[in-house]
């Protein structure tokens, strides 16, 4: 039972354009969401997060949007740069729960020069 | 900066061998986690630990055990390695606090022949 889903295994975007990565979840108890970025042969690194009391959080070129009614979140990268090429995982958790993160399958983003 | 280290980057073992994967963190974090990452499946939680000598099963604990004798060290044990345990294994640690994120090690790529 995949509670967090990233339905696009891969995405290819031109350098300078916007990259939009999507994530859907099924558990309405999730109240905190995170995006991690992973390069080959390295562990995932935290990118940005959002609490369910917000619908948007920005950090430089990265913005995460949360639509609670649709149980959908997205990560926008503007402008996309070659160094953004990586696998992106979204993750969700229940803040008062066991602190376990539930991860999506990942989306491989390729930025073309 | 949080540092999470894993004892091996690459490991090749034979079916039936007992395998130890070691993880050490230097930030005095209470929580530690073991995941495996497989293509198309994302990161799946094997075991986690709230504190020394405390452990809880994650989503896929079968065929694995863990040990946490010291706060900084969390070991994953494959009692009798099988080919379906060929995977990338990732360790993470996390401090207390609702907003704390998980910090990952570089991963161990395990091949079971």
């Amino acid at each position: 039972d995949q509670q967090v889903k990233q339905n696009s295994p891969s995405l290819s975007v031109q350098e300078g354009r916007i990259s939009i990565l999507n994530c859907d979840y099924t558990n309405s108890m999730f109240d905190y969401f995170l995006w991690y970025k992973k390069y080959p042969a390295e562990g995932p690194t935290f990118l940005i997060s959002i609490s369910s009391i917000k619908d948007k959080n920005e950090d430089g070129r990265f913005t995460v949007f949360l639509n609670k009614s649709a149980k959908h979140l997205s990560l926008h990268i503007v402008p996309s740069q070659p160094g953004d090429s990586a696998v992106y995982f979204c993750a969700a958790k229940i803040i008062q729960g066991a602190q376990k993160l539930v991860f999506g399958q990942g989306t491989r983003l390729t930025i073309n020069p | 900066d949080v540092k999470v280290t894993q004892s091996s980057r690459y490991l090749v073992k034979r079916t039936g061998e007992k395998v130890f994967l070691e993880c050490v963190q230097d930030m005095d974090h209470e929580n530690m986690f073991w995941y495996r990452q497989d293509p198309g499946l994302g990161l799946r939680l094997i075991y986690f630990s709230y504190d020394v000598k405390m452990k809880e099963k994650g989503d896929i604990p079968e065929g694995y055990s863990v040990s946490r004798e010291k706060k900084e060290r969390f070991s994953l044990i494959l009692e009798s390695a099988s080919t379906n345990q060929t995977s990338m294994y990732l360790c993470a640690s996390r401090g207390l606090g609702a907003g704390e994120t998980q910090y990952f090690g570089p991963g161990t790529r395990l091949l079971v022949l």
Side-chain angles (χ1 to χ4, degrees), chain A residues 14 16-17 31 38 49 71 86-87 93 108:
Chain A
Q14 207 70 23
R17 306 293 287 268
D31 54 10
K38 185 180 185 300
S49 63
K71 295 193 181 68
V87 177
K93 71 172 182 177
R108 181 177 300 278

Side-chain angles (χ1 to χ4, degrees), chain A residues 2 32 34 36 38 40-46 49 87 89 93 95-106, chain B residues 9-10 31 33 35 37 40-43 45 48 50 57 59 88 90 94 97-102 104-107:
Chain A
Q2 192 81 27
Y32 199 79
L34 307 90
Y36 280 82
K38 185 180 185 300
E42 293 184 16
T45 54
F46 169 72
S49 63
V87 177
F89 293 98
K93 71 172 182 177
I95 287 183
Q96 297 304 322
Q99 302 304 331
K100 296 192 298 181
L101 288 177
V102 180
F103 284 85
Q105 306 96 311
Chain B
R9 296 301 301 271
Y10 301 95
N31 301 161
F33 307 82
Y35 295 88
Q37 182 200 350
L41 297 176
L43 277 69
L45 182 64
F48 63 105
Y50 288 115
K57 293 180 180 179
D59 300 316
M88 167 71 88
L90 293 158
R94 179 188 174 279
E100 282 279 337
T101 185
Q102 290 186 19
F104 283 84

Side-chain angles (χ1 to χ4, degrees), chain B residues 75-91:
Chain B
S75 303
L76 179 70
I77 303 151
L78 286 65
E79 297 290 343
S80 176
S82 63
T83 55
N84 64 11
Q85 291 179 310
T86 290
S87 188
M88 167 71 88
Y89 289 89
L90 293 158
C91 173

